[in-house]
Amino acid sequence: KVKMKKSTDLRGLSQGLELLKIFNQIDDKVDISCYAIFLLVCFQENIINENIKSYFPKMDKSRVSRCVHILCDVAKTRKDNVGLGLLKQDINPDDYRQRTLTLTSKGKSVRDKVLKLLG
């Protein structure tokens, strides 16, 4: 028997479901871990791609890389090679392996919807 504590529990659940709906409208075939990375960039814009792994210790490096590519413009792991266009990668001229992730205008629009939802 599951007992809900307060109406705030239901509010949180409702917000979570609405958040999933926002992401489903973007692309319903994208793994939720990609959207977790998107949310991280929303709140840690200009994060370096290498630092993402530290926030998601159970996610392996290749999954992080695939998700970043899916969130950007070109996703080699997708059949159509088209990414979601929510993020862009800027290459560090001093170290070509290091990339900074920022939101595109489309990504900022989605972030604004998320922030409005979360109040």
Side-chain angles (χ1 to χ4, degrees), residues 34-100:
C34 295
Y35 292 123
I37 291 172
F38 170 74
L39 289 172
L40 173 64
V41 176
C42 285
F43 296 102
Q44 295 271 329
E45 195 162 4
N46 296 316
I47 190 169
I48 297 169
N49 60 346
E50 295 172 0
N51 294 343
I52 292 172
K53 178 95 174 75
S54 66
Y55 288 89
F56 303 105
K58 293 186 177 183
M59 202 181 297
D60 63 33
K61 200 173 183 177
S62 63
R63 174 173 286 303
V64 170
S65 180
R66 277 192 306 274
C67 284
V68 167
H69 283 99
I70 288 169
L71 292 166
C72 291
D73 286 335
V74 179
K76 296 174 188 171
T77 58
R78 300 183 87 193
K79 287 181 183 177
D80 59 4
N81 288 337
V82 177
L84 301 178
L86 298 173
L87 302 180
K88 68 176 181 171
Q89 297 184 70
D90 295 314
I91 298 170
N92 180 342
D94 297 326
D95 182 353
Y96 292 108
R97 295 169 297 171
Q98 198 175 73
R99 299 167 195 276
T100 304

Side-chain angles (χ1 to χ4, degrees), residues 22-41:
I22 289 170
F23 293 142
N24 244 357
Q25 289 171 348
I26 296 168
D27 190 321
D28 63 349
K29 293 171 185 61
V30 173
D31 188 278
I32 195 70
S33 58
C34 295
Y35 292 123
I37 291 172
F38 170 74
L39 289 172
L40 173 64
V41 176

Side-chain angles (χ1 to χ4, degrees), residues 3-38:
K3 184 177 177 184
M4 297 299 284
K5 293 178 191 171
K6 302 175 188 173
S7 63
T8 55
D9 290 341
L10 290 175
R11 178 168 148 57
L13 178 61
S14 176
Q15 285 177 319
L17 293 172
E18 287 299 315
L19 187 60
L20 288 174
K21 190 191 305 184
I22 289 170
F23 293 142
N24 244 357
Q25 289 171 348
I26 296 168
D27 190 321
D28 63 349
K29 293 171 185 61
V30 173
D31 188 278
I32 195 70
S33 58
C34 295
Y35 292 123
I37 291 172
F38 170 74

Side-chain angles (χ1 to χ4, degrees), residues 15 19 22 39 42-43 103 108-119:
Q15 285 177 319
L19 187 60
I22 289 170
L39 289 172
C42 285
F43 296 102
L103 297 170
K108 288 176 183 176
S109 173
V110 174
R111 178 199 58 200
D112 293 346
K113 288 179 186 177
V114 169
L115 291 175
K116 185 177 178 184
L117 172 69
L118 299 178

